[in-house]
Amino acid sequence: MSNITFTILKPDSIRNGNTGAILDKIVKSGFKIKAMKFTKMTDEKASSFYSIHSERPFFKDLVGYMTSGPIVAAILEKENAVNDFRELIGSTNPEEAKEGTIRNMFAKSISENAIHGSDSDENAKIECEFHFSPDEIFN
Ligand code: UDP
Ligand code: MG
């Protein structure tokens, strides 16, 4: 099991002024920030990042949403990082997300749902390498 996961604070989180509150919650939940950047995804980058969903009906809207403004991308470290972080962010649909989870607190809808978290160790590694070069990652 790996101790690394990858996250994106999505454009709605930045737009709604929730960047600080969400990062505070992540750090207070025991995750260490190993890499972080404030950036904006191109159409090409967002399409590639979410290519697994390319056949889904919501794909075009998803790419539009993810490129609608700046994001915060980060690599996080904690024991059992992937599973613990998925617990912390809550269900994809905020209406189903448990009380106190990030999506319960900050997400408005199943599409604009505040935050991304890797779903497996394998994808965490792929996603970290997709967004960061080795010289941007610190111990
Ligand atoms: N999404 C959507 N409609 C859906 C399901 C997902 O717009 O019915 C968006 C939403 O932003 C979600 C992202 O697509 O976070 C990726 O979907 P996934 O099923 O991987 O959910 P996640 O892993 O983010 O919980
Ligand atoms: Mg997913």
Side-chain angles (χ1 to χ4, degrees):
M1 192 193 307
S2 157
N3 57 355
I4 291 292
T5 194
F6 172 76
T7 189
I8 293 176
L9 276 56
K10 297 182 176 180
D12 55 320
S13 292
I14 313 308
R15 250 190 312 271
N16 297 332
N18 296 327
T19 308
I22 294 174
L23 289 175
D24 188 52
K25 201 164 162 58
I26 291 170
V27 171
K28 286 192 173 136
S29 300
F31 292 87
K32 179 182 165 187
I33 297 168
K34 303 254 306 173
M36 185 159 74
K37 66 173 78 164
F38 188 58
T39 183
K40 190 165 182 281
M41 284 201 275
T42 60
D43 264 27
E44 194 185 12
K45 194 155 181 172
S47 300
S48 172
F49 183 70
Y50 277 122
S51 60
I52 191 168
H53 295 306
S54 62
E55 301 304 317
R56 307 283 289 276
F58 59 81
F59 182 68
K60 202 163 168 274
D61 286 346
L62 175 59
V63 172
Y65 159 53
M66 291 302 293
T67 57
S68 67
I71 59 163
V72 172
I75 299 177
L76 304 173
E77 182 180 68
K78 184 182 184 294
E79 211 176 291
N80 201 31
V82 166
N83 291 332
D84 284 5
F85 196 70
R86 292 291 302 202
E87 275 288 311
L88 178 65
I89 71 177
S91 302
T92 307
N93 184 350
E95 283 176 20
E96 291 163 13
K98 283 189 211 145
E99 184 99 21
T101 60
I102 291 173
R103 282 168 167 167
N104 172 264
M105 294 170 73
F106 299 106
K108 294 273 173 357
S109 70
I110 190 169
S111 48
E112 303 219 353
N113 60 4
I115 191 159
H116 167 82
S118 306
D119 63 5
S120 66
D121 288 344
E122 189 192 2
N123 283 334
K125 185 170 187 296
I126 291 168
E127 292 172 0
C128 289
E129 288 170 0
F130 183 79
H131 289 270
F132 291 95
S133 56
D135 67 338
E136 294 175 312
I137 304 169
F138 302 92
N139 270 307

